[in-house]
Amino acid sequence: NAWYWAALTYSDETARLYLNGREQAVAHFALAPMTHGEMGLGYKLSEESWFRGCLREVRFANAALPAQELASTE
């Protein structure tokens, strides 16, 4: 019965996962630009591992944002 804030950033071959404003994990890998495809929110595209909860808001940016900007409500 609680809301959690999660964010994933990717820039310069580094992915960072934040939970409630605190960095939880860092991984280094290269991704090719995505030109077309599908995306699933709350589940894998193979329709397994369903997220059991609600997504209140989803935001996308075309650049990696600093951590302090991720949680802004504007």
Side-chain angles (χ1 to χ4, degrees), residues 34-40 45:
M34 187 173 173
T35 58
H36 65 280
E38 296 180 33
M39 180 181 80
L45 290 177

Side-chain angles (χ1 to χ4, degrees), residues 7-48:
L8 177 65
T9 66
Y10 180 80
S11 180
D12 299 323
E13 298 185 2
T14 301
R16 297 179 188 280
L17 174 66
Y18 297 87
L19 182 60
N20 290 335
R22 293 198 168 144
E23 188 175 277
Q24 299 294 309
V26 177
H28 303 283
F29 53 90
L31 290 175
M34 187 173 173
T35 58
H36 65 280
E38 296 180 33
M39 180 181 80
L41 296 173
Y43 69 98
K44 293 181 181 179
L45 290 177
S46 60
E47 297 188 6
E48 59 183 282

